[in-house]
């Protein structure tokens, strides 16, 4: 998700008009969950690009009425291009939770900040390395001398790009990386020859393919693809929160996780068309893609989503290896403090859901 998948401006404006997301004040503090009417706890959750397919569960849970069903008022917002990232907003107390990638918990711990993942929504980044035909790129081994687009420098897509190169023995100094955002700006970078490739997600991938300006060179969009390219499942979309906040609001956290685990089971038992029909119209049909394109893309990449919200065994280790290989983390990391499966396991038990994901242990 890159760390900061940029939401399509038009989509976000439409959603704001519909009241589907709530703007987040940059100066407000959310050190504790407030109570709404009838004592219902209110949680502010910022997503790293709410209209991206990799992050669809957060809004889907809202539209299915699951937050309300499980007794919590979740106020969704989305990070803006050039603005504070969802994970940073959470860490600084501007919001209570972040819909962002798991790997940020590792980076925070390396910086002395205690942040944990309370429910895991995907086992793959949901990204694809989209390259022009003339680039000749088919894997990270071909990155030498190329200009590669990422969401922004320091983002999750930037980390993954460096990782794919390092896995093939290509040093960062041997290629050039630039931030191109997502959506129309990423597409324009390919069209105008500004980059040879861009790492991006749906629906941008579908739009690139439809316009004929690039094809998928590396598949990180499904758990199977990520395992082949990275050596194991790569836990991406999740819900992150400060450990002190989690410890002080365990009942509230459980309600949020209950709603999202129910959503993951719903995704697993419904078609891409069913899912698209439950999302805001602006998410699935906009200047980038038609609804049919969106459904086709989601059908192809739906395998990234985990059915039960459980952190998969080996996932944290793969993520840590990625961070270490690209040099983001150099010291020791206690993986057991970066995630918990307690809330997800309880949610599945309460609802009688059958779990299929093998849980990661305390060492990842």
């Amino acid at each position: 998700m890159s760390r900061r998948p940029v939401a399509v401006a038009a989509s976000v404006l439409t959603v704001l008009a519909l009241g589907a997301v709530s703007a987040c004040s940059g100066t407000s503090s959310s050190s504790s969950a407030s109570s709404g009417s009838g004592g219902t706890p209110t949680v502010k959750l910022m997503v790293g690009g709410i209209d991206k397919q990799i992050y669809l569960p957060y809004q889907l849970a809202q539209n299915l009425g699951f937050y309300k069903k499980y007794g919590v008022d979740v106020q969704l917002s989305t990070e803006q291009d050039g603005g504070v990232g969802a994970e940073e907003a959470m860490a600084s107390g501007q919001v209570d939770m972040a819909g962002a990638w798991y790997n940020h918990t590792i980076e925070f711990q390396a910086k002395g900040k205690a942040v944990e993942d309370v429910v895991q929504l995907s086992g793959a980044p949901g990204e694809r390395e989209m390259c022009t035909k003339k680039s000749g790129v088919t894997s990270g081994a071909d990155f030498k001398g190329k200009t590669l687009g990422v969401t922004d420098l320091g983002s999750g897509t930037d980390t993954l790009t460096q990782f794919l190169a390092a896995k093939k023995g290509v040093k960062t100094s041997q290629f050039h990386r630039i931030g191109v955002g997502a959506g129309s700006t990423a597409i324009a970078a390919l069209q105008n020859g500004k980059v040879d490739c861009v790492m991006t997600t749906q629906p941008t991938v579908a739009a690139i393919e439809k316009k004929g300006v690039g094809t998928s060179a590396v598949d990180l969009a499904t758990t199977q693809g990520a395992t082949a390219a990275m050596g194991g499942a790569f836990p991406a979309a999740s819900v992150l929160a400060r450990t002190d906040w989690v410890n002080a609001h365990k009942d509230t956290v459980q309600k949020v996780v209950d709603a999202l685990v129910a959503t993951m089971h719903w995704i697993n038992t419904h078609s891409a068309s069913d899912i698209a029909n439950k999302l805001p119209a602006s998410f699935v049909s906009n200047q980038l893609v038609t609804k049919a394109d969106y459904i086709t893309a989601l059908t192809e990449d739906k395998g990234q989503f985990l059915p039960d919200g459980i952190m998969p065994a080996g996932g944290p280790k793969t993520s840590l290896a990625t961070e270490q290989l690209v040099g983001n983390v150099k010291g020791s990391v206690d993986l057991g403090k970066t995630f918990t499966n307690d809330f997800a396991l309880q949610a599945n038990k309460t609802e009688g859901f059958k779990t299929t994901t093998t849980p990661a242990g305390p060492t990842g």
Side-chain angles (χ1 to χ4, degrees):
M1 136 199 153
S2 53
R3 182 167 98 184
R4 300 186 183 181
V6 183
V8 180
S11 298
V12 173
L13 290 174
T14 302
V15 174
L16 288 172
L18 292 172
V21 294
S22 300
C24 176
S25 170
T27 57
S28 64
S29 175
S30 297
S31 58
S32 62
S34 59
S35 294
S37 59
T40 301
T42 297
V43 172
K44 295 180 180 179
L45 193 162
M46 181 183 282
V47 183
I50 200 166
D51 60 353
K52 301 303 178 186
Q53 277 193 8
I54 60 171
Y55 287 146
L56 71 83
Y58 311 99
Q59 185 65 52
L60 181 61
Q62 191 81 280
N63 289 15
L64 290 173
F66 284 170
Y67 295 130
K68 182 177 181 180
K69 175 182 177 181
Y70 290 98
V72 60
D73 176 15
V74 175
Q75 298 180 353
L76 295 172
S77 61
T78 188
E79 66 181 42
Q80 303 293 331
D81 188 11
V84 62
E87 71 284 348
E88 295 294 345
M90 172 273 302
S92 64
Q94 295 177 46
V95 295
D96 303 307
M97 293 177 153
W101 281 13
Y102 159 72
N103 68 299
H104 296 303
T105 67
I106 295 173
E107 295 172 348
F108 279 127
Q109 187 179 126
K111 297 174 183 177
K113 297 181 180 180
V115 171
E116 62 188 84
D117 176 345
V118 298
V119 60
Q120 189 60 44
L121 308 183
S122 67
E127 305 281 347
R128 291 180 183 274
E129 190 73 43
M130 303 298 293
C131 302
T132 62
K133 292 180 180 179
K134 66 178 182 180
S135 71
V137 173
T138 59
S139 75
D142 304 314
F143 285 179
K144 280 186 181 180
K146 300 296 191 298
T147 298
L148 307 174
V150 298
T151 308
D152 60 336
L153 297 181
S155 68
T157 53
D158 189 16
T159 298
L160 287 176
T161 298
Q162 295 178 66
F163 178 77
L164 291 177
K167 285 277 283 185
K168 297 295 185 180
V170 178
K171 298 179 180 179
T172 304
S173 60
Q174 294 178 300
F175 60 96
H176 184 52
R177 309 175 338 270
I178 61 172
V180 297
S184 59
T185 54
I187 295 171
L190 277 176
Q191 281 182 312
N192 301 335
K194 188 175 181 180
V195 296
D196 298 289
C197 305
V198 60
M199 184 172 286
T200 190
T201 183
Q202 300 288 7
T204 307
V205 166
I208 290 172
E209 292 175 334
K210 190 172 184 178
K211 291 176 178 291
V213 297
T215 56
S216 176
V218 182
D219 168 23
L220 300 178
T222 63
T223 303
Q224 183 179 4
T227 299
M230 307 182 73
F234 184 90
S238 62
V239 173
L240 311 182
R242 299 181 310 280
T243 297
D244 62 344
W245 190 90
V246 172
N247 289 338
H249 302 90
K250 289 187 176 181
D251 289 345
T252 298
V253 173
Q254 187 64 63
K255 293 176 187 295
V256 174
V257 175
D258 287 346
L260 285 167
V261 165
T263 301
M264 302 318 293
H265 279 273
W266 196 93
I267 290 172
N268 190 50
T269 56
H270 288 74
S271 69
S273 179
D274 291 335
I275 295 168
N277 287 337
K278 290 294 184 179
L279 292 171
S282 60
F283 283 24
V284 302
S285 180
N286 49 55
Q287 68 267 37
L288 288 181
V289 292
T290 64
K291 188 173 183 179
D293 293 332
Y294 186 96
I295 292 171
T296 297
L298 181 55
T299 299
E300 184 178 2
D301 292 350
K302 188 166 170 274
Q304 69 188 276
F305 296 114
L306 298 170
D308 42 31
I310 294 172
M311 172 65 77
K317 289 182 178 179
T318 301
S319 188
L320 175 59
T322 304
E323 295 289 334
Q324 291 174 329
L325 190 59
V326 302
N328 287 348
V329 174
K330 296 180 181 179
S332 61
V333 172
D334 184 347
L335 290 176
K337 294 181 179 179
T338 63
F339 72 94
T340 176
N341 274 322
D342 291 350
F343 296 107
L345 289 170
Q346 182 59 50
N348 282 283
K349 181 179 179 181
T350 298
E351 292 301 316
F353 293 137
K354 180 181 179 181
T355 60
T356 57
T357 303
T358 300
T363 60

